[in-house]
Amino acid sequence: MEANDTPPHVRLGLSRQRLIAGLRTMIASRETDDRLWLLNRQGRAHFVVTAAGHEATQLGCAWAIRVGHDYVIPYYRDMTLVMALGQSVLDVLLHAMARRDDPSSGGRQMFGHYSSRRLRIVSGSSSVGSHLVHAAGLGLAFRARGEQDIAVMGLFGEGATAEGAWHEGLTIAGIHQLPVVFVCQNNQYSISVPVHREVPVPDVAMKAAGYGMQGVVVDGNDVFAVYEAAHQAMERARNGGGPTLLECKTYRFRPHSSADDDRKYRSAEEVESWRARDPIKRFEHYLVEHGIITSEEIEALRREVRAEVDAATDAAVAAPYPSVESIADHLYG
């Protein structure tokens, strides 16, 4: 077989076990996504931001991260990412329902502020784009402490590129050639504003040249393309090659958040055209086609995940809220 005919998973060294685990994570994220939407409509989850449509981008990025070694600063839509890094369905539901045992904030933060010291997931800020300054700060900290073979990945939507803090974070990373990978999940809309009215160039990654770093554009619905680009960028960062701006073109299937009505700014036909390119279905088709898993095994996996989501929902609903006595915890260190 010629080199260019080698299946992507073989060329990239992805084992059958890792591929199936990745598919399970994607399915678990989508099933949790569906459940969160229902819980919000029932008044049990006050506010949710879903990841539906972004699963391939986030899984591919997660595969490029050395869990517990590299640092990650996700943004509010990164549910698949944090699940791929090690947070569970129950963890996400506890977070969404503001329960005491929420591992991200102990029930204190708005949904989407994922955090874990164990996994080195750093909570993003509610101010859009400002967490990229934190990413640059981590890179500077590595430099000051003499740490090598380590990198940080900061993820965001294309709307963040209009924020001054985004410019500041990339400027500092470029000047000092810091070990940071900036990942733009370009889903075509900054809430209700289409990308052509938000970004004045065809690709966000074109901006990379102005910050002294490499810019890369990939199909965000192709998990292998994302992984390959993210892996190369993280390796380059860890080895002293400086930062990268990676743009993954994708689409969100649901409204921006539970507080948004996307019917006001995009058509049902447009959404359906993107749903036809569902990254999970695309990945499933690939795995079946290459003999990694059968359709029957996928259905069994889906049933298993649904049972897990049901059990996690029951556990999260029954879980206690933070106690009143803990109200001042973590306020001053």
Side-chain angles (χ1 to χ4, degrees):
M1 179 179 288
E2 304 237 349
N4 58 2
D5 292 330
T6 303
H9 74 279
V10 176
R11 178 170 53 81
L12 296 171
L14 294 166
S15 67
R16 178 179 184 274
Q17 180 180 13
R18 197 173 193 188
L19 293 169
I20 294 176
L23 175 61
R24 191 187 194 284
T25 297
M26 294 172 85
I27 292 172
S29 178
R30 183 69 63 83
E31 292 289 337
T32 304
D33 206 295
D34 293 344
R35 184 59 50 86
L36 285 172
W37 207 250
L38 292 175
L39 290 168
N40 172 261
R41 277 14 188 189
Q42 294 170 353
R44 292 180 170 181
H46 174 66
F47 175 82
V48 295
V49 181
T50 72
H54 285 237
E55 292 90 354
T57 287
Q58 294 176 22
L59 178 63
C61 285
W63 277 347
I65 294 161
R66 290 187 295 183
V67 180
H69 179 81
D70 297 315
Y71 282 81
V72 186
I73 309 184
Y75 88 128
Y76 47 74
R77 205 173 299 284
D78 279 329
M79 185 167 69
T80 310
L81 176 80
V82 299
M83 291 175 74
L85 295 176
Q87 291 205 337
S88 68
V89 171
L90 178 58
D91 289 339
V92 172
L93 291 173
L94 289 168
H95 177 48
M97 287 189 267
R99 292 325 204 246
R100 180 195 65 192
D101 297 327
D102 157 33
S104 291
S105 70
R108 286 167 164 76
Q109 262 285 22
M110 184 175 74
F111 181 74
H113 290 67
Y114 302 106
S115 177
S116 170
R117 288 192 178 189
R118 176 178 63 88
L119 301 172
R120 291 192 167 180
I121 300 172
V122 180
S123 177
S125 169
S126 293
S127 300
V128 171
S130 60
H131 62 298
L132 284 317
V133 176
H134 306 159
L138 279 166
L140 279 173
F142 301 155
R143 185 74 50 83
R145 292 164 62 95
E147 294 185 66
Q148 298 179 347
D149 192 34
I150 188 170
V152 57
M153 180 183 287
L155 304 99
F156 53 94
E158 80 283 352
T161 68
E163 298 290 335
W166 184 87
H167 164 78
E168 293 161 6
L170 270 74
T171 295
I172 294 300
I175 289 171
H176 296 282
Q177 289 296 288
L178 299 176
V180 184
V181 176
F182 299 97
V183 179
C184 175
Q185 298 182 52
N186 184 346
N187 64 20
Q188 319 304 315
Y189 286 93
S190 302
I191 306 183
S192 61
V193 181
V195 66
H196 66 271
R197 292 186 179 177
E198 181 77 24
V199 181
V201 289
D203 302 311
V204 167
M206 291 178 67
K207 297 184 176 187
Y211 298 100
M213 64 184 72
Q214 291 194 38
V216 181
V217 182
V218 296
D219 177 354
N221 285 358
D222 181 345
V223 66
F224 299 115
V226 175
Y227 168 61
E228 183 170 20
H231 175 73
Q232 290 174 355
M234 289 294 282
E235 283 290 295
R236 187 162 52 247
R238 295 186 197 110
N239 294 324
T244 301
L245 174 55
L246 170 61
E247 178 182 5
C248 304
K249 306 270 193 182
T250 186
Y251 194 83
R252 57 173 166 82
F253 293 161
R254 286 202 165 101
H256 171 75
S257 72
S258 56
D260 174 44
D261 183 357
D262 64 327
R263 294 172 299 181
K264 294 181 178 179
Y265 57 84
R266 62 183 190 177
S267 68
E269 291 76 18
E270 177 184 306
V271 176
E272 285 307 309
S273 72
W274 277 92
R275 281 188 176 275
R277 291 178 266 177
D278 188 322
I280 298 179
K281 294 297 183 185
R282 179 172 175 174
F283 191 40
E284 288 176 348
H285 177 76
Y286 177 92
L287 296 182
V288 171
E289 183 181 36
H290 288 85
I292 304 298
I293 194 170
T294 66
S295 298
E296 292 74 20
E297 288 171 329
I298 291 174
E299 286 308 308
L301 191 63
R302 203 175 294 279
R303 288 192 296 271
E304 176 187 307
V305 167
R306 285 172 179 160
E308 179 185 355
V309 173
D310 287 342
T313 302
D314 291 341
V317 168
Y321 289 100
S323 67
V324 174
E325 291 74 23
S326 72
I327 194 168
D329 289 358
H330 313 297
L331 287 181
Y332 302 104

